[in-house]
Amino acid sequence: MSYFIAEVFHILFVLQLIGSYSVASQYVISDVPGLGRRFDGIGGLSGGGATSRLLVNYPEPYLDQILDYLFKPNFGASLHILKVEIGGDSQSTDGTESSHMHSANDENYQRGYEWWLMKEAKKRNPSIKLYGLPWAFPGWIGNGQQSPYVNIDVTVDYIIKWIQGAKTHHNLTIDYIGIWNERPYNSTYIKTLRSSLNKAGLSHIAVVAADGKLAISRDILMDKALAAAVQIIGLHYPGTHVTNYTLETGKTIWASEDYNTHNNEVGAGCWARTLNQNYVNGMMTSTISWNLIASYYDALKYARAGLMTANEPWSSHFEVTDTIWISAHTTQFTDPGWMYLKHKSGVQRLDKGGSFVSMTDGVNLTIIIETMSYDHSKCTWPYLPPYSVAAQTAKFTLQGSFAKVSSLNVWYSKLTFNGQSSTIFVKKNPIKVVNGSFTLSLNPDEVYTLTTTERGYKGNYPTPPPSAPFPVPYSDNFDNYPEFSEASNFADQAGVWEIRESGDPTHKLVMEQVVLESPVHWCPAAESPISVIGNYSWQNADVSVDVKLGDNTGAFLAQRINDGGCKVVVATGLFFIVYSNGTFAVYSDIHHRFLLNSGQVDVKSDMWFNMRLLIQDSKATGFVQGKTVFTASLDPKTIPSHGFVAMGMPNYASAQFDNFDIISAS
């Protein structure tokens, strides 16, 4: 009897499996009901902050290869939009980015690497759209307050100068401009910005507001002048959904920042689900990844949360991760200006989990299908409500302009987990369309692109060099950089260091800290400028640098720095500070509250001197001009066991640094 019951259950189980495929769900793909919204493209975000910091240091040919994977059409991610930070001299997630105006009478459009990156993107894809957004602002904009809206006309002029500088100095046309990343918006500022852009001959630029939450939608509904000033509602991490009142505005809606997830298989699943469902669920016509490329130290916040990873310029190693090819499923077979089909006529959820979207340029048809399962597509945020995906059979019927399509080219990915090899962006045999219909057997964690286009290519370069730790010994005299650039491998966490002429023939070019007043911050402020370098796992190191101080300031060397990004404000380590008044101090925290040692040194302002910090296990020694000025035992309760090497200052002031050496480190 038990054998009979077991056989019955086995037969029922087999029938259930067969049924999951044999009863096909029916879907119509047609332009007869009309078209949906305009597709505006898929993008990546460099900034917010300093997320491309190490990229610019890569040597050729690897730098060109990385940029091709990101921007070259029909090759890799083939991005349609590049969004960049308008540098504001302050920490904005993983570092600081230099402003084009450190003060009201200072303009310079050679600073930073975003100009370079935009030009490299345009070189590969002249049609790529450019989008600028500030996170922080230099202190003079706030006039002593932590707000960019103290004098709206001043801030508008500051932003317009950045746009004009892009064109005048780099021949870059900015297409979109934002307000203030994830911070309060000001309706008067938005209206003034729009009218000032128009008066300046920049009416082609679309204003995106407010690069944050949905609240601006209600204000747009109630304020006609604000509605006229805003062309695009930009949302961050919307979880693929918007509110009814957002849709009621009739505005173009973007996920102007999304993803922010480790670029492993789960991150690729997050990206695949998000790219489709942002339109299926939320009518969002563009999705922009934060970040473009994980080109910052792994120990900083949100490690490897980019479409690919390139954070070892010293070894030339980089990683082309699956998120590049998930992007390609959409970007290589569409262009901005294509139109989505309407919901239930080419855009909808699949009956047993997953979704599909369809787009057309009036001639061609591209369909993207994803079946990402819950556990394999969780993004870092927002919270993802549980759901299920099952194997299923889907029958698609092509109608209207697509009724005569006889075959569709197929590109396929299957994400697998637990160390198994995924199948990523593979061209398969075309699907024959018979009497206007075709059927697909779909399994969880798959992506299909079905297209009438003949596009699609999985770009490939030789395997890059292997990963290697930060090299020691390491030295830099800063003489081989363009003025106003930034020295290789340093990651500014507060303040900004630029290559400048020293005015001293014995120190040709130097690293100079150039932020002289507290900025309008984006995240909690560290009032001590600091730039980190090296390997976060280092326990011991021997580091030295030449310094020239202005009045009423100081310079420090530090080791075992345990925090960066927005958490640099709570960083601890060992900070050896020499002041221009001829004193020194040793602290265990960036705010100089916990004093470990102090004394006198033979140093004054406007003189060059050498300082050196040596840590050997539980002992630290500091030197000035080759003379020992302190030795200290390190208490493991207050001094971290490992961390970055750093140099910096106790306040926002001018100082020059030269001949930096990491003599040894382990």
Side-chain angles (χ1 to χ4, degrees), residues 6-7 18 43 87 106 171 187 223 263 276 322 324 358 365 430 473 479 511 513 525 561 581 594 642-643 652 665:
E7 282 298 296
I18 294 171
D106 163 75
N171 196 30
S187 294
D223 185 337
N263 54 25
N276 261 26
D322 292 347
I324 289 289
S358 306
L365 171 69
D479 287 343
M511 266 182 77
Q513 203 291 121
I561 300 302
N581 64 3
F594 302 106
H642 62 278
Y652 287 111

Side-chain angles (χ1 to χ4, degrees), residues 89-317:
D89 289 345
S90 184
Q91 175 63 244
S92 53
T93 299
D94 283 304
T96 66
E97 298 203 27
S98 186
S99 171
H100 60 291
M101 296 180 70
H102 294 313
S103 64
N105 58 2
D106 163 75
E107 282 186 69
N108 186 298
Y109 298 93
Q110 306 307 316
R111 298 173 182 141
Y113 40 84
E114 303 296 3
W115 310 113
W116 164 83
L117 184 60
M118 287 189 282
K119 287 189 286 188
E120 291 295 330
K122 279 284 188 182
K123 184 189 302 181
R124 287 159 175 79
N125 178 9
S127 298
I128 197 168
K129 301 295 184 181
L130 302 177
Y131 175 177
L133 173 69
W135 269 248
F137 296 83
W140 65 274
I141 290 286
N143 195 25
Q145 299 184 43
Q146 284 295 309
S147 170
Y149 308 128
V150 173
N151 189 325
I152 284 172
D153 289 336
V154 168
T155 307
V156 166
D157 182 63
Y158 169 81
I159 294 298
I160 287 180
K161 282 181 176 176
W162 183 86
I163 295 168
Q164 292 171 330
K167 187 64 176 179
T168 301
H169 296 274
H170 301 285
N171 196 30
L172 294 168
T173 299
I174 304 301
D175 301 285
Y176 310 106
I177 199 74
I179 308 305
W180 188 15
N181 183 74
E182 296 175 356
R183 294 296 177 265
Y185 58 87
N186 179 295
S187 294
T188 301
Y189 172 78
I190 295 172
K191 296 171 195 176
T192 304
L193 176 64
R194 176 71 274 165
S195 63
S196 298
L197 288 168
N198 295 345
K199 290 175 184 176
L202 300 169
S203 58
H204 69 278
I205 295 179
V207 171
V208 184
D211 271 296
K213 297 181 180 179
L214 291 156
I216 196 169
S217 304
R218 291 189 183 275
D219 287 345
I220 287 172
L221 288 171
M222 294 185 292
D223 185 337
K224 291 183 178 179
L226 179 63
V230 175
Q231 285 67 61
I232 299 166
I233 294 176
L235 307 176
H236 286 196
Y237 309 100
T240 77
H241 292 274
V242 302
T243 57
N244 287 336
Y245 58 81
T246 303
L247 294 172
E248 288 169 11
T249 65
K251 293 291 181 185
T252 296
I253 310 167
W254 285 7
S256 55
E257 183 178 324
D258 217 326
Y259 177 62
N260 186 7
T261 302
H262 195 287
N263 54 25
N264 56 13
E265 290 85 354
V266 173
C270 155
W271 189 229
R273 177 177 54 79
T274 299
L275 288 180
N276 261 26
Q277 295 192 26
N278 271 351
Y279 189 76
V280 174
N281 300 332
M283 303 289 281
M284 288 170 271
T285 56
S286 176
T287 299
I288 298 175
S289 166
W290 188 90
N291 48 69
L292 170 73
I293 183 166
S295 199
Y296 45 97
Y297 289 110
D298 270 348
L300 296 174
K301 190 73 170 173
Y302 308 114
R304 300 180 180 241
L307 296 180
M308 61 183 289
T309 298
N311 59 5
E312 290 187 14
W314 51 86
S315 71
S316 301
H317 178 73

Side-chain angles (χ1 to χ4, degrees), residues 541-544 557 559 574-578 584-586 597 600-601 610-616 619-634:
D542 188 357
V543 188
S544 74
L557 281 175
Q559 291 191 42
L574 190 77
F575 296 79
F576 170 37
I577 308 176
V578 176
F584 79 89
V586 183
N597 208 318
Q600 301 289 319
V601 288
N610 177 268
M611 58 188 301
R612 175 184 166 206
L613 177 61
L614 169 65
I615 291 183
Q616 296 169 303
K619 180 183 177 182
T621 308
F623 306 83
V624 173
Q625 297 291 72
K627 297 179 180 180
T628 301
V629 298
F630 83 90
T631 59
S633 296
L634 305 182

Side-chain angles (χ1 to χ4, degrees), residues 15-27 348-353 356 369 371 389-397 437-444 446 448:
L15 288 173
Q16 184 180 18
L17 285 178
I18 294 171
S20 68
Y21 283 109
S22 61
V23 180
S25 298
Q26 308 283 326
Y27 305 101
Q348 68 186 89
R349 288 177 173 271
L350 294 164
D351 290 346
K352 294 187 178 179
F356 68 96
I369 304 167
T371 57
V389 177
Q392 55 194 300
T393 300
K395 182 178 180 181
F396 297 90
T397 300
S437 297
F438 64 93
T439 301
L440 278 180
S441 295
L442 303 173
N443 289 291
E446 294 180 329
Y448 281 91

Side-chain angles (χ1 to χ4, degrees), residues 292-458:
L292 170 73
I293 183 166
S295 199
Y296 45 97
Y297 289 110
D298 270 348
L300 296 174
K301 190 73 170 173
Y302 308 114
R304 300 180 180 241
L307 296 180
M308 61 183 289
T309 298
N311 59 5
E312 290 187 14
W314 51 86
S315 71
S316 301
H317 178 73
F318 63 89
E319 299 171 20
V320 184
T321 53
D322 292 347
T323 39
I324 289 289
W325 307 114
I326 293 299
S327 306
H329 270 285
T330 298
T331 58
Q332 289 200 21
F333 308 99
T334 61
D335 291 302
W338 282 47
M339 302 296 292
Y340 284 101
L341 300 187
K342 286 198 167 182
H343 283 65
K344 299 294 185 182
S345 299
V347 173
Q348 68 186 89
R349 288 177 173 271
L350 294 164
D351 290 346
K352 294 187 178 179
S355 67
F356 68 96
V357 297
S358 306
M359 286 183 261
T360 182
D361 63 352
V363 177
N364 290 294
L365 171 69
T366 291
I367 306 162
I368 304 111
I369 304 167
E370 60 81 22
T371 57
M372 293 300 114
S373 60
Y374 175 73
D375 286 335
H376 294 159
S377 67
K378 290 181 183 177
C379 306
T380 299
W381 57 60
Y383 168 74
L384 179 65
Y387 67 91
S388 61
V389 177
Q392 55 194 300
T393 300
K395 182 178 180 181
F396 297 90
T397 300
L398 307 184
Q399 297 178 357
S401 300
F402 316 120
K404 294 182 180 180
V405 171
S406 60
S407 70
L408 292 164
N409 293 315
V410 180
W411 289 81
Y412 172 77
S413 292
K414 169 72 173 180
L415 294 171
T416 53
F417 303 85
N418 301 319
Q420 300 174 349
S421 295
S422 298
T423 301
I424 298 296
F425 201 59
V426 173
K427 187 173 185 181
K428 300 179 78 78
N429 292 330
I431 287 178
K432 298 297 181 184
V433 181
V434 180
N435 297 324
S437 297
F438 64 93
T439 301
L440 278 180
S441 295
L442 303 173
N443 289 291
D445 300 320
E446 294 180 329
V447 182
Y448 281 91
T449 298
L450 313 175
T451 182
T452 59
T453 71
E454 297 299 325
R455 294 154 66 168
Y457 178 70
K458 189 172 185 179

